[in-house]
Amino acid sequence: MALTAEGKALTQSHQRQQMALASSAQAASRPIWASVLRAQGVWLASQLGLLADCFSRSQELTESYLEAYRSAEGVAPGPIERVPFPVAEMTSVILVGGPYSVKNLIGDGLSGDQALSKGFTKFSGLVSRQVLSGGRLLIADSTANDRQAVGWRRVSDGNPCTFCAMLVTRGPVYKSRETADSIAGKGTRYHAHCGCTAEIVYGEWQPTEAEERMISSYVGAAMTASAVDGVRIQQTVLWRMRAKGHFRDSPAVRGKQ
């Protein structure tokens, strides 16, 4: 976690702000969702405009957070690397997750209303992910050019799935988008409805008690994978963490939901 109590509090506050922004974007997407099929062009323009505004807001919040966080951690002001809104990527994501997905659901036998309702549940998660990518990528790119930083790490929302927990256990090993994606686990990958955020680390990383439990779960699963399968990769480790853990997607937890 952060070196200082103030830095930790700022990271937690930033995470809450980002999740509030994601919820706002999801709520704003609902009224225009009804036109996803009957007026696809109008819907696309409206949804892209909404994503662009929220993507920019995510970066604004993160920029303010980074400035305050660096000050709290006692380091000099560092680079802030804004990320341009990726129009082509956003268009592709919302078309696939929007009208294409709804049409597929109708093709599977659902009524129009059923397809719209089920489709929006999944689509709202994509909205959250795409909006929050603004701040998440800003941190990744800013860290890459910050000579004071050890790296950045993933911070759980307190109720992670097994995949996110695994990435949390790695600590501040990510220095850029490229290094994050070259390390087993795809560090910059965030799933729909994910509440994780990123935090730059200056100095030695000290895991919290919750993070220590995640590390213990990972180490146990990894050791078993090495002994039984002879290889320690996502495919041999994650399912073991999930089976015996208490993560959001673990059987012991899902059975209570």
Side-chain angles (χ1 to χ4, degrees), residues 20-33:
L21 175 64
S23 295
S24 176
Q26 291 171 332
S29 296
R30 184 175 290 278
I32 61 176
W33 178 249

Side-chain angles (χ1 to χ4, degrees), residues 173-186:
V173 296
Y174 311 116
K175 186 65 177 178
S176 67
R177 290 196 226 178
E178 292 72 25
T179 58
D181 286 342
S182 67
I183 296 172
K186 293 287 186 182

Side-chain angles (χ1 to χ4, degrees), residues 57-79:
R57 179 58 179 156
S58 177
Q59 295 200 76
E60 290 171 359
L61 290 170
T62 304
E63 183 173 346
S64 296
Y65 155 68
L66 277 185
E67 291 174 347
Y69 176 77
R70 283 167 170 153
S71 177
E73 294 292 276
V75 300

Side-chain angles (χ1 to χ4, degrees), residues 8 15 18 28 45 64 70 79 98 112 135 165 172-173 180 187 212 219 244 249:
K8 178 182 178 181
Q15 188 171 51
Q18 292 289 327
S64 296
R70 283 167 170 153
V173 296
E212 288 282 9
V219 170
K244 295 184 177 181
D249 55 345

